[in-house]
Amino acid sequence: MDQPIDYNSWFLRFGKSLLYEKFSKQPVAYFCAEYAEISDLPTYAGGLGVLASDYIKEAHARQFPLMAVGLFYLEAQNSLTPPDRSHELASNSKNLSLVLDEKKERLLVSVPIHDRIVYAQAWQVTHGAGALYLLDTNISENQPHDRDIVNQLYTDDREMRLKQEMLLGIGGFRLLEKLGLHCSVYHLNEGHSAFLALELVAHEMKHQHVDFFTACGYASSHLVFTNHTLVAAGQEQFTTDLVSAMMGKYAEELAIPIADIVALGTIEGSNLFSMTTLSFKLANKTNAVSKLHATKALEIWPKNPMTSVTNGVYLARWDKVGKAAEKDFWSKHQQNKTALLEYIQSQTGQSWEPNVLLLGWARRLVPYKRPMEIISDVEKFLALALRQDRPLHIVFSGPTNNENENNNAVLVELKKILKDKLSDVAVFLPNYNLELAQLLTAGCDVWVNTPVVGSEACGTSGMKAALNGALPLSTRDGWVAEADLNGIGWVVDEPSVGPKMLELLEQEIIPEYYEQINNPQKSSWITRMQKSRQLISEQFSTSRALKEYIEIMYIQALNQKHVHKYA
């Protein structure tokens, strides 16, 4: 077995290299639609935002020159923060400040959208993430409908969504220019920000004195693209007519036909413009976020093979065990579990004992993640859970709010099953956010992961749980497909995932857990916990992910001078 990499030493050496010096002069620009930086700030909806925030925190901790750009939303679909409180939170937060120009005045950027100019101010987040800038159009300089552009993350309004993506990509690039930041690499973390490529093309047209298509080649050498999802809903698409209307003024500004822009993102044989297609077309290097993801992606996009850089988690953010793992892992785990059980009681009234096996399932409530799979045979699950000598509890959680709760068929069905059949042994915790995620991943004994194989690009919640000793019970999807869980957790194959999980619970997991409870000195459960923590620390941290992005993506882009023409 290969020796684990000493990431501290690697980054120390890299920080003294000529390559690092180049990045210091021209940093990496990282663009993403969401960031989970401050729990109450509605700038995130789920795993993509948490991953992006973890990544930029790692870069900051490693002193890697990286500037991140996003949008300052007033409301997220799953946020509990009222829209009118976002600016209040920002104004009163020590971690947020308005970006000012050299005259100490509010810095504004302008973006041509439809038939007018839209202005945006920027907030800088200093929540341990280095440089993160969030663009905000809710200002007096704009007409009311343009102030609304940042109203909601992932709005269902297609025209507004397109405006958001123009603001993110075009406005974000212009913000960095106004700040005097000339970046060597532009990293599209998912396709939402792909319009920044057009600003880079315009930059190359001006400075290289070349035409549009030749400039696309120059711009491409600086662009890397990370795809995060194979699910159709994650592939951002607009009608070509809408793109032509919204970007017509921008095309005039670039002095190029709007048809040339639209052609770059049009899906062949359709009237649909895809941000994923645009990203594939213009990025020099693309990557998936797990090895299985890269394999499955090739089935969907056979002309766009991707390398893989598997996601990781920022250990300092998610580790709730610390040095206790070396001394008394079990006692610390039980402390974390007690904190979770106290929260469960405060929210549901259920008073559960810490020496009862606790399963956890927590993530977005969508069909392909299959939250009901573990309880698909309700009677069998209940029989296991109610055994007096070795009972079982399960906690579910997911992002919700009062407006969309009844519109989520998965959530409605789950809550009905829990109320009608499993009220004593199962609970659902609403309002899944950063704090609750930390409680759950640190406090559960077993982390249940049930996505349809090939649907979950990576799935980092299981990494966070395993870091804290919550043992995985999972399908062979995402990161699990490349991890050796032998002696750590349990993996089940399709089909009949639910019944197989119940069989494992009955025959292996429950007996082994209660061996730990009844005879902790001779239990193998602690050994599993220690191995799970070691696995994540050595193989699935953002330290490893950042190192791979630097080596596989950024350095190669830094050394690339020109890519083929796009005519």
Side-chain angles (χ1 to χ4, degrees):
M1 184 176 178
D2 294 338
Q3 284 291 106
I5 295 171
D6 183 341
Y7 293 108
N8 291 332
S9 297
W10 188 91
F11 280 101
L12 185 63
R13 291 193 304 272
F14 179 72
K16 298 176 181 178
S17 68
L18 291 176
L19 283 169
Y20 180 85
E21 188 176 329
K22 289 183 180 180
F23 284 119
S24 296
K25 293 176 181 177
Q26 291 186 292
V28 171
Y30 184 87
F31 280 60
C32 190
E34 55 173 298
Y35 295 92
E37 269 302 297
I38 300 171
S39 189
D40 290 338
L41 197 65
T43 55
Y44 67 102
L48 179 66
V50 176
L51 182 280
S53 182
D54 273 16
Y55 187 73
I56 61 175
K57 285 178 183 295
E58 182 73 45
H60 178 60
R62 299 297 185 180
Q63 299 183 323
F64 180 74
L66 182 143
M67 308 296 161
V69 179
L71 298 183
F72 184 85
Y73 304 98
L74 304 185
E75 181 183 13
Q77 287 187 332
N78 301 314
S79 172
L80 298 179
T81 305
D84 58 355
R85 281 205 62 217
S86 290
H87 280 88
E88 177 188 337
L89 283 168
S91 299
N92 296 326
S93 174
K94 296 178 181 178
N95 302 315
L96 282 162
S97 59
L98 275 174
V99 177
L100 306 178
D101 61 20
E102 64 276 0
K103 297 179 181 178
K104 302 300 180 184
E105 296 176 350
R106 186 169 49 112
L107 187 149
L108 294 179
V109 296
S110 61
V111 180
I113 297 178
H114 198 210
D115 58 356
R116 59 195 174 274
I117 299 297
V118 175
Y119 297 93
Q121 64 184 10
W123 297 90
Q124 182 172 358
V125 182
T126 55
H127 195 61
L132 168 59
Y133 301 101
L134 302 175
L135 290 164
D136 175 13
T137 62
N138 189 21
I139 55 178
S140 60
E141 287 82 357
N142 289 325
Q143 299 176 30
H145 48 279
D146 292 330
R147 296 183 66 163
D148 292 345
I149 290 175
V150 293
N151 266 7
Q152 187 182 72
L153 170 61
Y154 299 142
T155 173
D156 293 329
D157 184 325
R158 300 310 298 161
E159 182 176 319
M160 196 64 76
R161 183 85 76 94
L162 179 58
K163 291 177 181 178
Q164 288 179 347
E165 306 208 341
M166 292 177 67
L167 175 66
L168 175 59
I170 299 168
F173 187 97
R174 293 182 177 188
L175 172 67
L176 294 180
E177 276 201 322
K178 278 206 167 188
L179 292 171
L181 295 169
H182 301 289
C183 299
S184 57
V185 180
Y186 291 84
H187 185 166
L188 311 176
N189 192 46
E190 200 49 277
H192 300 290
S193 58
F195 288 133
L196 82 83
L198 299 176
E199 276 293 280
L200 191 54
V201 169
H203 175 85
E204 297 293 354
M205 288 172 67
K206 179 180 178 180
H207 290 85
Q208 302 288 348
H209 306 289
V210 294
D211 62 51
F212 177 73
F213 291 108
T214 303
C216 285
Y218 282 106
S220 179
S221 65
H222 300 283
L223 287 165
V224 301
F225 167 50
T226 298
N227 174 266
H228 279 272
T229 180
L230 303 177
V231 180
Q235 310 305 319
E236 196 75 277
Q237 296 178 2
F238 306 96
T239 66
T240 53
D241 287 344
L242 180 61
V243 174
S244 296
M246 290 297 109
M247 301 194 74
K249 188 175 182 66
Y250 177 70
E252 290 177 11
E253 192 175 287
L254 268 59
I256 57 172
I258 183 62
D260 288 349
I261 290 177
V262 173
L264 288 174
T266 300
I267 299 173
E268 188 175 349
S270 79
N271 68 338
L272 292 176
F273 182 97
S274 164
M275 299 297 281
T276 301
T277 298
L278 179 63
S279 301
F280 278 135
K281 185 72 69 71
L282 286 176
N284 180 29
K285 293 191 66 65
T286 62
N287 75 279
V289 292
S290 73
K291 293 177 181 177
L292 178 60
H293 178 203
T295 300
K296 293 292 183 179
L298 200 58
E299 299 173 8
I300 301 174
W301 300 293
K303 296 180 181 179
N304 297 285
M306 291 188 271
T307 187
S308 66
V309 178
T310 302
N311 286 339
V313 295
Y314 182 49
L315 302 183
R317 186 184 207 181
W318 296 101
D319 181 10
K320 302 303 176 184
V321 178
K323 293 183 179 179
E326 303 168 7
K327 300 176 183 177
D328 196 347
F329 204 157
W330 182 254
S331 293
K332 183 59 180 177
H333 171 70
Q334 290 297 83
Q335 289 177 23
N336 292 334
K337 186 176 181 180
T338 298
L340 172 57
L341 294 177
E342 289 173 352
Y343 181 82
I344 289 173
Q345 183 174 15
S346 73
Q347 299 299 307
T348 70
Q350 288 282 12
S351 180
W352 289 345
E353 293 298 320
N355 284 343
V356 173
L357 177 62
L358 180 62
L359 312 184
W361 188 103
R363 53 191 54 80
R364 286 188 303 116
L365 293 147
V366 292
Y368 77 85
K369 293 180 186 284
R370 299 188 297 193
M372 273 81 72
E373 193 67 22
I374 186 69
I375 54 172
S376 55
D377 186 339
V378 176
E379 301 305 325
K380 176 68 177 292
F381 184 89
L382 187 61
L384 287 176
L386 292 177
R387 285 192 55 166
Q388 290 187 353
D389 58 334
R390 50 184 198 184
L392 168 68
H393 294 146
I394 186 167
V395 53
F396 293 90
S397 187
T400 60
N401 67 20
N402 292 331
E403 292 182 5
N404 72 7
E405 192 166 319
N406 292 329
N407 294 326
N408 187 324
V410 176
L411 176 58
V412 170
E413 183 183 359
L414 174 62
K415 292 178 74 172
K416 187 177 189 309
I417 293 173
L418 300 192
K419 179 182 178 182
D420 294 347
K421 301 284 188 178
L422 302 171
S423 59
D424 291 332
V425 299
V427 296
F428 177 80
L429 298 178
N431 314 331
Y432 189 50
N433 61 9
L434 289 174
E435 283 84 4
L436 184 50
Q438 290 174 332
L439 269 177
L440 286 161
T441 54
C444 290
D445 297 306
V446 172
W447 195 255
V448 181
N449 186 46
T450 48
V452 176
V453 174
S455 300
E456 191 79 86
C458 185
T460 56
S461 65
M463 298 177 189
K464 298 158 192 167
L467 175 67
N468 290 293
L471 305 182
L473 174 59
S474 177
T475 58
R476 204 178 300 273
D477 200 30
W479 73 276
V480 175
E482 63 195 74
D484 181 3
L485 295 185
N486 185 40
I488 294 175
W490 300 267
V491 178
V492 294
D493 292 314
E494 305 278 2
S496 304
V497 166
K500 289 175 182 176
M501 286 188 168
L502 291 181
E503 184 178 347
L504 279 169
L505 279 167
E506 182 176 24
Q507 297 182 6
E508 297 184 31
I509 300 172
I510 293 174
E512 191 168 339
Y513 175 80
Y514 282 101
E515 180 186 343
Q516 161 65 26
I517 295 298
N518 298 323
N519 191 4
Q521 302 304 317
K522 295 184 179 180
S523 168
S524 60
W525 194 272
I526 296 295
T527 302
R528 288 184 182 271
M529 294 173 72
Q530 291 168 336
K531 286 183 177 180
S532 73
R533 181 176 176 82
Q534 182 181 8
L535 173 72
I536 303 306
S537 299
E538 293 180 359
Q539 298 181 38
F540 294 101
S541 69
T542 45
S543 296
R544 190 266 312 145
L546 176 60
K547 173 181 177 290
E548 289 186 6
Y549 272 111
I550 291 170
E551 291 178 323
I552 297 172
M553 307 291 281
Y554 299 161
I555 290 175
Q556 293 193 37
L558 186 70
N559 294 328
Q560 183 78 52
K561 298 303 180 185
H562 184 250
V563 187
H564 58 81
K565 290 182 67 174
Y566 285 76

